[in-house]
Amino acid sequence: TGAGDGVSGGVCTLPPGDVAVVRIRYTPPQKHRNGRIVDDTVMFGELVINYTNEEEQRIELEAHVKHAEVKAGLDELDFGDVHIEDTATLTVPLANHASVETRWRLAHAPKALLGGTRRS
């Protein structure tokens, strides 16, 4: 008893022939989640089972940390000449090339005018 009850480090009993289902959660380190490190990586660890007779069993853990990546089907978006009172629309295919679900949002990041002229 005690297996899967959410108590970490408690003594559990497992009768012969029984099976205990436990959930093990892995959360990548903060430096991967906040974007400071953007390279995919493999992380290793161990699950240690300590028996009451002071023996232990080690099970290797491995996590492949993947970063999301959305790519636009175009390298540049050119709206062409747009009258000051008009709008222009482009259709841009976006694809998830990562092996993990990608959550994203679009944001406009204005840049300085290049070679623009002002009319008076």
Side-chain angles (χ1 to χ4, degrees):
T1 60
D5 61 6
V7 177
S8 177
V11 175
C12 302
T13 302
L14 191 61
D18 276 4
V19 175
V21 177
V22 295
R23 292 178 49 162
I24 300 172
R25 179 175 53 204
Y26 171 76
T27 302
Q30 183 66 29
K31 62 187 176 185
H32 289 275
R33 295 192 321 267
N34 67 12
R36 286 187 305 181
I37 296 180
V38 295
D39 294 329
D40 293 347
T41 189
V42 179
M43 304 193 84
F44 299 93
E46 287 185 323
L47 175 65
V48 180
I49 301 171
N50 294 303
Y51 296 98
T52 55
N53 65 358
E54 298 186 14
E55 291 183 21
E56 68 179 26
Q57 178 180 353
R58 294 179 175 269
I59 301 171
E60 292 186 17
L61 302 174
E62 181 176 319
H64 296 254
V65 179
K66 303 288 187 176
H67 291 80
E69 182 179 7
V70 172
K71 291 198 177 190
L74 305 170
D75 291 332
E76 182 179 305
L77 303 177
D78 185 353
F79 288 94
D81 295 335
V82 182
H83 187 275
I84 192 75
E85 295 178 7
D86 287 339
T87 61
T89 303
L90 294 175
T91 300
V92 181
L94 299 176
N96 177 3
H97 290 283
S99 62
V100 294
E101 179 181 286
T102 301
R103 287 177 248 158
W104 53 277
R105 72 175 60 102
L106 294 176
H108 176 244
K111 291 187 175 184
L113 293 175
L114 300 175
T117 58
R118 296 181 70 183
R119 301 184 80 162
S120 31

